[in-house]
Amino acid sequence: MNTPPTLYIEGPAFWTPTLPGWDAARAAFRGEGALADPPAKRPSPQVLAPAERRRAPDTVALALEVAAAAIAGADRPAADVPCVFTSAHGDLSINDYMCSTLAGDPKMLSPTKFHNSVHNAAVGYWTIGTGCMAASNAVSAYGHSFAAGLLEAAVQCAADQTPVLLVGYDAPTVGALASVTDSRGLLAVALVIAPERTARTVASLDWSLVGDGAATAPRSAAAATLKDINPMADALPLFEALAQAPGSANAPIDLPLSAALALRLRLQAAG
């Protein structure tokens, strides 16, 4: 089997109420910063027009906030970069509303909430807001959604030799859905994967598929507070590695894709 090519990470972005932004998360993962107290309110993504910004659900606001931060950090034009958005659940709050309303009074169903209920709502808002005409994709693989999205973005980047934006996000379970899945809090991450090193490269990425990988656990105290928050917490070991000082190498990171397959990552921080 041929070894997949080395890829390069640009513009890491991170948002959760206790670590609202990559600067805060990076410092906390290094043991140099504390969690925000009180926690931050949900972000207000400037990609959207003011009226759309007010109506956007939490998942869209969250995803677009980190997407814009990653594109800015990579210094790339949003309109030209293909994107992969990944989420285990999409918007559970809206889906709970949809089910409750359909069961109780279907005629009261909100058209706005209806179009926000689809799994690709966030990537749709992103491509419209940025005028992006490049390929876009929405991925879901339940508890392995971050790993699946990262694999999709890496394969696209390697095959097409073009940068790809990866955005992952999940939100809390509400209502009756809480009896079948446990998701708490808001968490979103993003980065750009590029085929070549640039001035914006923060780390090189070697990647492969393995059949014996167990999920890598978070190491820092800050990440440990988030490890069970929702399915997107699977991204924490990767972002902890990205937070390390330039020139540092990290132990392999395994992100399960299924019960029998994992995505193995080896990162070297750019010096």
Side-chain angles (χ1 to χ4, degrees), residues 12-262:
F14 191 98
W15 202 96
T16 194
T18 54
L19 294 172
W22 177 235
D23 288 345
R26 179 173 54 193
F29 294 158
R30 289 181 176 183
E32 301 169 355
L35 303 178
D37 185 19
K41 296 181 180 179
R42 82 166 210 176
S44 181
Q46 300 305 300
V47 170
L48 299 177
E52 291 180 327
R53 206 179 304 150
R54 289 191 296 270
R55 290 195 297 264
D58 288 348
T59 49
V60 170
L62 199 61
L64 268 58
E65 177 74 10
V66 293
I71 284 291
D75 193 26
R76 294 187 181 274
D80 298 336
V81 179
C83 55
V84 175
F85 279 53
T86 184
S87 173
H89 302 302
D91 198 303
L92 290 168
S93 177
I94 288 180
N95 280 287
D96 175 70
Y97 157 83
M98 293 275 293
C99 293
S100 300
T101 305
L102 288 171
D105 191 354
K107 292 182 180 180
M108 295 304 294
L109 192 71
S110 160
T112 298
K113 289 186 180 293
F114 174 78
H115 86 247
N116 283 333
S117 70
V118 297
H119 191 79
N120 64 346
V123 70
Y125 274 98
W126 172 256
T127 55
I128 293 169
T130 61
C132 180
M133 299 294 287
S136 62
N137 200 356
V139 172
S140 179
Y142 194 47
H144 307 309
S145 292
F146 178 74
L150 178 57
L151 178 59
E152 175 72 19
V155 169
Q156 284 191 31
C157 177
D160 297 338
Q161 288 295 289
T162 188
V164 177
L165 168 66
L166 172 66
V167 180
Y169 61 96
D170 268 303
T173 313
V174 298
L177 294 173
S179 66
V180 293
T181 187
D182 180 27
S183 185
R184 292 170 283 114
L186 300 171
L187 178 59
V189 298
L191 49 82
V192 173
I193 302 176
E196 297 179 347
R197 186 184 298 272
T198 72
R200 297 294 180 129
T201 296
V202 298
S204 61
L205 171 66
D206 290 305
W207 50 293
S208 60
L209 297 178
V210 296
D212 58 352
T216 299
R219 296 168 302 183
S220 66
T225 67
L226 304 171
K227 69 181 183 69
D228 296 321
I229 186 171
N230 68 42
M232 217 41 58
D234 279 6
L236 289 168
L238 171 58
F239 279 79
E240 283 185 302
L242 291 173
Q244 300 309 305
S248 60
N250 291 276
I253 297 167
D254 287 346
L255 304 178
L257 290 159
S258 70
L261 190 66

